[in-house]
Amino acid sequence: MARYNKIFAGPVSENLPQVQERLCAAAILPGTALVESGSSFAQAGAASNAKIYIAQENYLAMKGVDDAWSANDRIIGMEMLDEQFFNVRVPTGTNVTRGAALTTNAAGKFVLTATGNRIVAFAEEAFNNTSGADQLVRARAAKSALASA
């Protein structure tokens, strides 16, 4: 079970993030990174250099953050702004510290950045994911992620 029940985490004084809607070719979990692939969204790959969107939970169908969007669904991708917080999905076994630089792995999940990899986001909380399942961790977009958009 997820630690949070929403992907967009605020601040409440901000308008909701800008979103894009596109079909997705495969099943996608909320909180993972998306990239544009033609007229669709695809899961971001390892250390992706493309513009990153965050998959929002399917609130229109009253589904939670652990319910995947089905393949060929119209999915909502939120544009990352550095003044907004997002709960992003990190795989089990990932020990995140506050301020840690994050990038994407091959499954579009957020992992610690290796030297030379693009920094997509910074962790806004510390969390050692020894839960045995992917978890959501609070993060904020890195300015470098916005510059390449």
Side-chain angles (χ1 to χ4, degrees):
M1 181 161 159
R3 297 172 52 233
Y4 296 109
N5 63 358
K6 291 285 182 197
I7 299 302
F8 178 66
V12 295
S13 61
E14 289 281 332
N15 291 328
L16 292 175
Q18 295 295 309
V19 298
Q20 299 284 328
E21 291 185 10
R22 291 191 170 61
L23 294 177
C24 60
I28 294 181
L29 278 168
T32 57
L34 303 171
V35 294
E36 294 179 37
S37 177
S39 61
S40 301
F41 272 135
Q43 205 75 70
S48 176
N49 285 324
K51 181 176 181 176
I52 299 289
Y53 297 84
I54 304 295
Q56 189 170 10
E57 72 277 3
N58 189 354
Y59 67 90
L60 298 171
M62 296 176 47
K63 294 189 177 181
V65 294
D66 288 329
D67 298 319
W69 294 82
S70 300
N72 299 315
D73 271 359
R74 184 162 295 279
I75 187 171
I76 300 170
M78 296 182 288
E79 295 190 36
M80 296 178 70
L81 299 175
D82 69 334
E83 68 268 7
Q84 295 175 332
F85 298 104
F86 298 90
N87 294 320
V88 298
R89 197 164 295 274
V90 298
T92 188
T94 304
N95 185 11
V96 177
T97 59
R98 182 173 166 81
L102 303 173
T103 191
T104 54
N105 69 9
K109 297 172 185 166
F110 288 79
V111 294
L112 299 174
T113 305
T115 303
N117 284 351
R118 174 182 175 214
I119 299 171
V120 175
F122 289 101
E124 286 292 322
E125 67 175 329
F127 185 72
N128 186 7
N129 188 5
T130 58
S131 67
D134 297 345
Q135 292 296 325
L136 296 172
V137 171
R138 183 84 26 102
R140 178 188 304 248
K143 289 194 184 279
S144 63
L146 302 172
S148 66

